[in-house]
Amino acid sequence: MNVGNAQSQSLIASMQSSSRSTLAMKKTIADAGGSPQAKSLLVDAVNVNIQVDKGFANRVLSDSLNDKLNSMFKEAGMDTTVESLLQSGTDFSPQATANRIVEFATGFYGQYQSNNTDVDEKEQLEGFSTMIKGAIEEGFAGAQEMLAGLGEIDSDVQAGIDETFDLTMKGMDDFVAQRAAQLATAADEEGATAL
């Protein structure tokens, strides 16, 4: 059967070729490893024949990151998921995140003191600060390494990480300064009552 002119026949041949390519791509995607969400997004892209733009790439990266984080939560024995954290309404701004880290870390100061009764409180404060700040640095470095392993970190995300780190370190410095001021005030009061 002869359908239309040469241009029409060329268009039909192109569509048939495209259809065969699409089926081949779908089979390749189905055979590939990866998360079901990532596969679904790739199949959707093939079905509607879209280009992989920044938004599409970010969705694939986000799904991959969520899968990795959820696996890490499970391995750590944490009964949570990325989705539940996001739905919790928790503020993930650099300031709020830094505040949570500082609050959590400084909550161990009393335990540190009771484990180091052989030194005065000024030395306890200095030792605690050194230990905690070192742990915070290691934690941020580990998170940075994990994120870099997933791909190039967006400059806005990196700026948020850097700001969170700086605010966390400032929060620790503020805690130490506040405790040191309390120690100085207590020492002054003791000196005044001794007279």
Side-chain angles (χ1 to χ4, degrees), residues 116-137:
N116 294 281
T117 56
D118 56 328
V119 297
D120 67 20
E121 190 168 358
K122 183 179 178 186
E123 289 179 63
Q124 290 173 343
L125 188 58
E126 289 171 6
F128 179 75
S129 175
T130 300
M131 180 189 73
I132 292 297
K133 287 174 95 175
I136 290 169
E137 287 174 354

Side-chain angles (χ1 to χ4, degrees), residues 10-134:
S10 176
L11 178 61
I12 291 170
S14 174
M15 289 172 59
Q16 289 171 339
S17 174
S18 176
S19 177
R20 284 191 296 271
S21 295
T22 300
L23 289 174
M25 289 173 70
K26 284 181 182 179
K27 180 171 180 358
T28 301
I29 291 167
D31 293 342
S35 72
Q37 296 89 353
K39 284 183 185 179
S40 174
L41 285 172
L42 290 172
V43 168
D44 289 345
V46 170
N47 284 340
V48 295
N49 198 22
I50 64 170
Q51 289 185 330
V52 177
D53 63 4
K54 185 176 179 179
F56 177 77
N58 284 337
R59 287 190 306 275
V60 171
L61 178 60
S62 175
D63 283 347
S64 175
L65 179 59
N66 289 352
D67 289 346
K68 188 156 198 80
L69 289 171
N70 287 336
S71 293
M72 291 171 59
F73 291 151
K74 186 175 181 177
E75 287 175 25
M78 297 171 65
D79 188 25
T80 191
T81 63
V82 172
E83 185 176 294
S84 67
L85 288 173
L86 294 174
Q87 290 178 353
S88 71
T90 302
D91 183 357
F92 290 105
S93 68
Q95 183 65 53
T97 302
N99 288 343
R100 281 192 302 275
I101 294 169
V102 170
E103 184 178 310
F104 178 76
T106 57
F108 292 104
Y109 182 58
Q111 181 66 39
Y112 183 87
Q113 284 182 299
S114 64
N115 289 338
N116 294 281
T117 56
D118 56 328
V119 297
D120 67 20
E121 190 168 358
K122 183 179 178 186
E123 289 179 63
Q124 290 173 343
L125 188 58
E126 289 171 6
F128 179 75
S129 175
T130 300
M131 180 189 73
I132 292 297
K133 287 174 95 175

Side-chain angles (χ1 to χ4, degrees), residues 154-175:
D154 181 81
S155 61
D156 291 339
V157 172
Q158 185 62 56
I161 292 169
D162 293 341
E163 183 180 359
T164 303
F165 177 79
D166 292 343
L167 290 169
T168 301
M169 290 306 209
K170 182 184 180 315
M172 286 305 303
D173 290 341
D174 291 348
F175 171 79

